[in-house]
Amino acid sequence: MKVLIFYTSNFAYTPAAKNLDEAPNPGLPQSFNNCLLACIQVEAQDEEKGLRSREKKLANHLKWAARKNNTEKIVLHSFAHLSDSKATAQFTKEVFDAAQARLENADYEIAQTPFGYFLDLKIDAPGFSLARIWGDL
């Protein structure tokens, strides 16, 4: 799994185009302040490691990054451009949902961008040391 995290002063998205036939209605555009934007690519080998292993590893990494950036708000965004290897859409969504549940149980405010859609993004990310973190989990 590859993860690219941005601490953002403001992050907003507008659904632009559906790219998974089975994707549900994306809802309205959303905006978030003072949050982590976690761009995540779940890879094929992650399926072999199992759901519990992957969501736990992801949640722990995001908790660490949130503490370093003094925020409890995290947005999960599927970003299948960090590796040539891709897990199935179903497994990827399961990882996102399980990580969200784990983080919410730890009192984080979690949101997900619409899964299965290309989005217009607006990212206002300040330039300081841990405002950008890359991980190979």
Side-chain angles (χ1 to χ4, degrees):
M1 181 176 349
K2 306 286 192 265
V3 182
L4 178 61
I5 298 170
F6 295 91
Y7 171 78
T8 65
S9 300
N10 182 266
F11 166 67
Y13 69 81
T14 300
K18 189 177 200 177
N19 68 343
L20 282 178
D21 290 338
E22 65 273 13
N25 182 315
L28 298 173
Q30 297 288 320
S31 179
F32 306 89
N33 292 316
N34 302 316
C35 70
L36 291 185
L37 169 62
C39 300
I40 304 160
Q41 178 165 351
V42 181
E43 298 172 293
Q45 60 267 28
D46 292 317
E47 294 192 63
E48 297 167 11
K49 294 177 182 177
L51 176 62
R52 188 172 190 295
S53 163
R54 301 294 75 207
E55 64 87 9
K56 184 177 181 181
K57 187 89 167 174
L58 176 60
N60 286 342
H61 185 66
L62 294 174
K63 287 179 195 178
W64 173 83
R67 283 191 305 272
K68 292 295 183 182
N69 284 283
N70 197 30
T71 186
E72 294 180 350
K73 300 176 190 174
I74 303 170
V75 179
L76 308 177
H77 176 60
S78 179
F79 192 76
H81 305 285
L82 298 173
S83 168
D84 289 335
S85 176
K86 292 177 181 61
T88 63
Q90 178 183 348
F91 184 77
T92 298
K93 183 64 169 129
E94 288 173 359
V95 170
F96 277 48
D97 291 345
Q100 178 171 351
R102 180 180 292 270
L103 290 163
E104 286 173 341
N105 285 337
D107 295 325
Y108 287 88
E109 294 178 41
I110 308 301
Q112 292 186 42
T113 60
F115 193 82
Y117 286 84
F118 292 115
L119 308 171
D120 293 334
L121 304 176
K122 291 185 181 180
I123 302 171
D124 182 4
F128 56 86
S129 177
L130 290 173
R132 291 158 185 81
I133 302 167
W134 182 82
D136 185 2
L137 309 181

